[in-house]
């Protein structure tokens, strides 16, 4: 049987690791994947920042980057 735990506090993970050793259960810690989806708070904050930049550009206070330059950065 496999069990996957996500976003476990390091202190709790240490407790789980000690318990698994006592019970003779094998435990494997995997690196976090880079492809994880961002949480809703991060997406909402990114959208707020983008809207603020658009408003500044419409007011003429900043100049936005064109699509070609943006793609070249990627």
């Amino acid at each position: 049987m496999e069990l996957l735990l996500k976003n476990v506090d390091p202190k709790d993970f240490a407790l789980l690791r000690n318990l698994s050793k006592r019970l003779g259960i094998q435990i494997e810690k995997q690196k976090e994947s880079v492809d994880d989806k961002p949480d809703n708070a991060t997406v909402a904050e990114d959208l707020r920042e983008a809207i603020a930049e658009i408003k500044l550009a419409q007011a003429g206070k900043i100049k936005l980057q064109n699509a070609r330059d943006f793609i070249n950065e990627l």
Side-chain angles (χ1 to χ4, degrees):
M1 178 190 327
E2 276 189 38
L3 175 66
L4 175 65
L5 302 172
K6 292 185 176 182
N7 301 326
V8 178
D9 185 86
K11 292 178 184 177
D12 294 335
F13 183 76
L15 178 65
L16 289 170
R17 186 176 52 233
N18 290 337
L19 180 60
S20 69
K21 285 180 184 178
R22 261 184 106 173
L23 296 174
I25 299 172
Q26 181 182 6
I27 192 166
E28 231 178 81
K29 184 176 178 183
Q30 296 178 344
K31 291 185 179 180
E32 290 183 22
S33 150
V34 177
D35 296 334
D36 287 342
K37 293 180 181 179
D39 61 347
N40 289 341
T42 304
V43 172
E45 180 60 30
D46 289 345
L47 286 173
R48 279 189 212 98
E49 289 176 10
I51 292 169
E53 284 185 23
I54 291 170
K55 287 180 180 179
L56 288 172
Q58 288 174 338
K61 295 181 180 180
I62 63 170
K63 183 177 178 184
L64 296 177
Q65 184 179 31
N66 66 35
R68 184 175 306 275
D69 291 340
F70 175 74
I71 291 172
N72 286 337
E73 280 186 18
L74 296 176

